[in-house]
Amino acid sequence: MLLKLLFIGLGGFMGANLRFLAGVFFDTRYGHLGFPIGTLIVNIVGCFLLGFIATLLEERLIGFPNARFLVTIGFLGSFTTFSTFSFESWRLIEEGSMGLAALNLGASVVLGGVAVVVGAALARAL
């Protein structure tokens, strides 16, 4: 268990820092657009990488169990949580659990949005 946590922590350190640097890079170059282009790019790249790497690890590179902890959970999990959300929703669809996929997609977007509004309102009320 400790080794798994170390791999997740190492990957998380790298993913979080790369996310920060990517955000600074894109905000510096395209911040004048008034749109969070850095976050959008990170989310799309993270989704692609998670779909690609997780599928490779699960279907072809089965002999590398710690790679999953390092790359998919640690690195990509901290690079963008949106990729995890998207990948898990896709997995539900692939497994034929359309109702659960719709519930995950709808509840995450709607309840996540509501939680942001409530959190911001609470912070402003303090």
Side-chain angles (χ1 to χ4, degrees):
M1 179 58 102
L2 183 59
L3 187 60
K4 291 176 185 175
L5 294 175
L6 288 174
F7 277 109
I8 292 169
L10 178 62
F13 174 81
M14 293 186 299
N17 282 292
L18 183 59
R19 178 180 176 72
F20 171 75
L21 293 173
V24 169
F25 175 80
F26 288 113
D27 286 347
T28 302
R29 287 192 170 225
Y30 306 107
H32 64 282
L33 297 175
F35 182 79
I37 191 76
T39 300
L40 176 65
I41 291 172
V42 165
N43 284 338
I44 300 305
V45 169
C47 287
F48 169 77
L49 290 175
L50 185 57
F52 182 77
I53 293 170
T55 301
L56 274 181
L57 289 172
E58 290 177 10
E59 297 179 7
R60 296 188 182 194
L61 303 174
I62 297 171
F64 300 96
N66 288 327
R68 178 175 170 263
F69 298 107
L70 176 73
V71 179
T72 62
I73 297 173
F75 180 78
L76 292 171
S78 66
F79 184 64
T80 168
T81 55
F82 183 78
S83 63
T84 302
F85 157 71
S86 298
F87 184 73
E88 289 175 345
S89 297
W90 172 244
R91 283 294 176 165
L92 289 171
I93 292 170
E94 275 193 328
E95 294 169 0
S97 301
M98 299 300 288
L100 289 177
L103 177 64
N104 189 44
L105 291 166
S108 295
V109 171
V110 172
L111 296 177
V114 169
V116 167
V117 171
V118 170
L122 181 62
R124 289 183 180 126
L126 295 178

